[in-house]
Amino acid sequence: MRLLFVCMGNICRSPTAEGTMRRMLLEAGLDSRVEVDSAGTGAWHVGDSADPRARAAARRRGVDLNGIARRVTREDLDGFDLVLAADAENERDLFRLVGEDPERRAKVRRLREFDPESVKAGDLNIPDPYYGGADGFDDVLDIVDAACRGLLAEIQTRPAL
């Protein structure tokens, strides 16, 4: 199985989700069966490491953010089983990239759809911490952790694993 986490610039939310999910898969013994990556809908930060504030917050929780920012491509929609958007804007951008192909559109979901509490609250967007303070990155880690736990639980129920 292949998972792609997507936010706007691929330096805050999506690398945080990638690193968090990678750690959870390793702890669950599924790291050899599930591949994770991240990308951004925009090209502003292509080639950059994750935001230093995101890396610091993740490091305090034992999560490594080692990726290099890249932009999502149409080919990603063929190569990944799930493409997980950080928010509604990213989801819209992904749907524009996908076009009307129903198979590709079915792969696009919002990450918080996998957190029952977020679904119950009707809040499926992961806030962008980029323009705020360091505490916003800790909040994103909490949100992403809950969503990735739900995603991991769903992955574990799939017969292919």
Side-chain angles (χ1 to χ4, degrees):
M1 173 170 243
R2 298 184 77 215
L3 309 172
L4 180 66
F5 298 95
V6 178
C7 69
M8 190 174 292
N10 193 214
I11 61 166
C12 297
R13 296 170 292 172
S14 57
T16 297
E18 176 188 357
T20 298
M21 193 69 196
R22 191 178 305 281
R23 187 198 73 217
M24 288 182 184
L25 290 165
L26 181 66
E27 290 171 357
L30 296 173
D31 55 307
S32 65
R33 296 183 188 165
V34 181
E35 180 183 334
V36 295
D37 195 1
S38 64
T41 57
W44 308 279
H45 300 287
V46 168
D48 294 346
S49 297
D51 185 291
R53 298 165 295 171
R55 290 195 321 264
R59 193 171 29 255
R60 286 191 298 272
R61 298 188 191 199
V63 175
D64 293 320
L65 305 186
N66 298 324
I68 300 298
R70 70 179 187 88
R71 191 170 189 183
V72 67
T73 66
R74 283 186 66 95
E75 291 75 29
D76 287 327
L77 281 295
D78 292 325
F80 286 89
D81 300 296
L82 278 175
V83 180
L84 301 146
D87 62 27
E89 182 180 351
N90 302 139
E91 184 180 49
R92 278 191 300 276
D93 290 342
L94 288 167
F95 282 144
R96 275 195 285 278
L97 183 64
V98 175
E100 297 303 316
D101 183 317
E103 188 175 313
R104 282 181 170 167
R105 289 180 78 84
K107 294 178 180 187
V108 177
R109 308 267 303 272
R110 279 196 250 168
L111 178 56
R112 286 186 85 179
E113 290 178 35
F114 294 92
D115 174 18
E117 292 300 314
S118 294
V119 172
K120 192 164 99 176
D123 186 5
L124 299 181
N125 291 324
I126 300 171
D128 191 344
Y130 186 74
Y131 293 105
D135 57 335
F137 291 87
D138 287 312
D139 293 342
V140 165
L141 272 159
D142 292 337
I143 291 166
V144 164
D145 188 79
C148 284
R149 287 187 191 287
L151 177 57
L152 178 62
E154 183 161 314
I155 289 169
Q156 290 172 318
T157 66
R158 294 187 178 202
L161 295 176

